Amino acid sequence: MTNSELESDSSVGTEPCNPRRESVWGPVQTRSDLFVRNVSTTYMVQITEIVIGLLMLPFNLAHLGPSVYGLWMMAASIPAYFSILDLGYGAAQVRFVSKYRALLDAEGLNEIVSTLFLLFAFLGLAVIIAGAILAYNLSTLFNLTPDEASTAGQVLLIISLYVAVGFPFSVFGAVVNGFQRIHLNSYVAIATVIIVAVVNVVVLLSGYGLVTLVAATTAVRFLAHFAYRANAYRAFPGLVMRLRYVKLTRLREVTGFSSYIFLLDLANKLNYSTDVPIIGAFIGPTGVAVWAVAQRLITATQEMTIQVSGGLFPVVTDIAALGETDRLRKVFLQGTRLSLAMVIPAGTILAVLASPLVLWWVGPSFSQSVPVIWILVAAVIIRVGNSTATTTLKGAGEHSFLTIANITIALANLGLSIVLARNFGIIGVALGTLIPLSVVSIFLLFPRACRRVEIPLFDAFRFGIWPSVWPIIPIIGVLAFITGYFEPSFLNLALQAAGAGGLYTVVFLWVAINRGERNWYLGKIKKLAGLEAVA
């Protein structure tokens, strides 16, 4: 796969750089420059969130207690469903901002932004109403005492208000993303995460409780919205939001694309956001706290390894539109192999070290999270490993099939989790996530993607999957053997993880793939690390 198949070095914009143009559209930058900057700062955000999240979880557990912490996680999981109320417009707005930026149509872009801002303001009111209704009926939905229901209700109201305000403010994020200036918001996100952590520590050390903690940290996140707004005007100096720009025709235009995005988002919410409410309903806040330990580690692993498929989406779309099946096949194989090469060592190392890691991190009282980690590691490996296949289907015109498949996974996940939770507790909920995801991904989505790029299943396995899978097999044995000889400390765990990851990388790059592919991977790593001049 050549560089041109993955990125374009042309400038963002279609006119030469001049002061008059920059006063409306901002300075012209090359796509490869923006790509490297956006990817690197996105990883900086994720690393910051993961590190601080791993440090704050045991701190909060120690000061709040498992029951109150579980209550917090349970209440906070409910507003995750509120994003469904954006009806798909949240993701669609980025596409239309990008479209009108490419056309240099400032009036059309301002009409899109102004129309969606007003729409999201009304949707934000719906969020507040829904949050209030749920907050005063939590005792009928979950296994809570009256005091727990009161505390959780206050937490839910605070978070719901924040989510409601975030709806109209999301248009500013769409402008930044549509102009490919993601790095601007990354800097704000890093600062926000750090400040929130500091406020969290100060509030708890000062002796305040959960409601004060949530109110204080939410206030910091609320203020960050205004920094994101400033970035939108920095990315698009010609941004003007006026009531006269609100157009029904623009709303209809965006709706034509957002409808299927809404269905995909609905399926994703059922897949990723139902576990905590189910555990809260059938097990209680303590079970939620145990689940949260496993979920924190699994989410970090997924977020750090799934970035390849996101970056490939515009590439797949362009190649599919040109009808170049050979190039699409190469991108599919390389993307699958690279995604697996990232998630397999990360997930396997987490699974093998799960027991000593949990013991060191949060103590033996949370040992029940270890088998949950084992099950969810399998789920995240399948999800990330199959992400290039799903990206290929979505970008190559198979989004309707993908939507049906995701809804099937979501409904099966919901049903199985409820049934299995009654008999097996949180392990049953984890199995309810793994089983439908595995069946649909392995037997439907991946074969469908292979047919779309016109490659036999055996060849896809041989060239796209096997080179990333087999190098981990001997490493599992070595890691499992030496783990018992080390005490569960941060240094020992870090050394074992780094050693296993480094050994996998060496075997993968110098044994599993050929020299040409190795040089290509190393070249990309050098560019992302800033060791190679950006074209």
Side-chain angles (χ1 to χ4, degrees):
M1 186 172 2
T2 63
N3 290 353
S4 61
E5 290 171 340
L6 286 179
E7 61 188 54
S8 170
D9 286 331
S10 57
S11 298
V12 176
T14 56
E15 292 183 353
C17 178
N18 62 76
R20 183 175 180 181
R21 180 193 181 284
E22 290 189 6
S23 67
V24 177
W25 298 100
V28 175
Q29 299 183 51
T30 62
R31 286 190 177 91
S32 60
D33 186 13
L34 290 171
F35 175 79
V36 172
R37 189 178 302 175
N38 291 339
V39 169
S40 59
T41 55
T42 298
Y43 271 107
M44 288 170 58
V45 174
Q46 292 175 344
I47 292 171
T48 303
E49 290 178 341
I50 290 170
V51 171
I52 290 181
L54 293 176
L55 294 174
M56 293 307 301
L57 189 146
F59 176 84
N60 288 333
L61 274 172
H63 286 79
L64 295 173
S67 180
V68 175
Y69 184 82
L71 194 69
W72 181 14
M73 294 299 100
M74 188 166 55
S77 71
I78 297 174
Y81 290 95
F82 293 162
S83 63
I84 295 174
L85 294 176
D86 78 353
L87 306 177
Y89 291 107
Q93 61 185 341
V94 177
R95 177 179 184 270
F96 286 91
V97 167
S98 180
K99 171 184 175 181
Y100 284 100
R101 177 200 55 76
L103 296 174
L104 297 180
D105 183 352
E107 183 174 356
L109 200 159
N110 284 323
E111 288 177 352
I112 290 288
V113 174
S114 298
T115 301
L116 290 179
F117 185 89
L118 182 62
L119 171 67
F120 282 135
F122 285 110
L123 293 176
L125 291 176
V127 167
I128 295 176
I129 294 171
I133 294 174
L134 290 170
Y136 288 103
N137 291 277
L138 286 179
S139 59
T140 62
L141 298 175
F142 299 107
N143 183 21
L144 301 175
T145 66
D147 288 341
E148 288 175 337
S150 175
T151 300
Q154 296 177 65
V155 171
L156 177 56
L157 283 174
I158 295 170
I159 299 177
S160 297
L161 181 60
Y162 168 72
V163 172
V165 173
F167 265 61
F169 270 86
S170 70
V171 299
F172 300 115
V175 170
V176 173
N177 293 342
F179 275 69
Q180 301 179 36
R181 302 301 196 273
I182 299 172
H183 59 278
L184 296 178
N185 280 353
S186 294
Y187 301 136
V188 176
I190 291 172
T192 302
V193 170
I194 295 173
I195 295 173
V196 165
V198 172
V199 171
N200 187 326
V201 171
V202 170
V203 169
L204 290 184
L205 290 181
S206 300
Y208 293 100
L210 177 60
V211 175
T212 303
L213 171 63
V214 173
T217 54
T218 301
V220 175
R221 294 188 177 96
F222 173 80
L223 293 175
H225 281 318
F226 293 94
Y228 293 130
R229 178 181 180 274
N231 284 342
Y233 283 94
R234 181 179 175 186
F236 178 34
L239 177 61
V240 178
M241 299 180 62
R242 297 287 186 273
L243 191 60
R244 63 185 175 88
Y245 281 141
V246 176
K247 305 288 184 181
L248 184 60
T249 53
R250 295 299 186 188
L251 183 60
R252 287 198 294 264
E253 180 183 2
V254 179
T255 302
F257 180 79
S258 67
S259 55
Y260 86 89
I261 294 293
F262 166 68
L263 294 176
L264 282 174
D265 188 48
L266 178 61
N268 287 334
K269 287 295 179 295
L270 289 174
N271 269 324
Y272 302 139
S273 304
T274 56
D275 297 326
V276 169
I278 289 172
I279 295 171
F282 291 99
I283 301 173
T286 302
V288 174
V290 173
W291 178 270
V293 170
Q295 189 179 48
R296 175 79 67 170
L297 296 170
I298 292 299
T299 300
T301 302
Q302 178 171 305
E303 291 300 318
M304 290 299 295
T305 57
I306 204 169
Q307 301 303 314
V308 172
S309 61
L312 286 179
F313 178 66
V315 178
V316 169
T317 303
D318 290 346
I319 295 175
L322 296 173
E324 298 178 348
T325 304
D326 288 343
R327 292 180 65 196
L328 189 61
R329 187 183 307 116
K330 292 178 182 178
V331 170
F332 171 72
L333 290 175
Q334 290 280 15
T336 299
R337 182 193 301 169
L338 186 55
S339 293
L340 285 169
M342 296 178 70
V343 73
I344 284 177
T348 303
I349 292 169
L350 173 59
V352 175
L353 298 179
S355 183
L357 175 59
V358 169
L359 179 62
W360 165 77
W361 185 33
V362 289
S365 59
F366 287 88
S367 59
Q368 288 180 307
S369 66
V370 173
V372 176
I373 292 172
W374 293 339
I375 297 170
L376 295 183
V377 160
V380 81
I381 288 176
I382 292 172
R383 182 176 289 140
V384 174
N386 201 50
S387 60
T388 300
T390 58
T391 297
T392 299
L393 293 174
K394 183 166 62 174
E398 300 270 358
H399 51 268
S400 58
F401 177 83
L402 182 62
T403 300
I404 294 172
N406 280 357
I407 292 175
T408 301
I409 295 173
L411 294 177
N413 182 357
L414 179 62
L416 275 176
S417 295
I418 292 175
V419 171
L420 296 176
R422 296 176 182 270
N423 299 316
F424 302 101
I426 59 175
I427 293 179
V429 177
L431 289 172
T433 298
L434 174 63
I435 293 171
L437 173 68
S438 302
V439 171
V440 175
S441 297
I442 295 172
F443 296 106
L444 290 178
L445 293 177
F446 191 78
R448 181 78 171 224
C450 289
R451 289 195 294 272
R452 178 60 182 83
V453 301
E454 300 178 10
I455 183 173
L457 268 173
F458 178 77
D459 289 347
F461 176 81
R462 178 185 175 188
F463 298 110
I465 297 177
W466 185 240
S468 301
V469 172
W470 75 258
I472 200 64
I473 297 175
I475 296 171
I476 294 176
V478 174
L479 194 59
F481 176 76
I482 66 173
T483 298
Y485 291 94
F486 291 91
E487 292 294 326
S489 67
F490 173 77
L491 180 59
N492 288 337
L493 291 169
L495 288 175
Q496 291 175 73
L503 181 58
Y504 176 91
T505 302
V506 170
V507 176
F508 174 74
L509 289 176
W510 272 268
V511 182
I513 61 177
N514 60 46
R515 179 183 297 179
E517 292 170 330
R518 177 170 63 252
N519 291 337
W520 186 85
Y521 285 128
L522 293 175
K524 292 300 173 184
I525 292 172
K526 288 179 180 178
K527 176 172 284 191
L528 286 175
L531 301 177
E532 180 179 304
V534 178

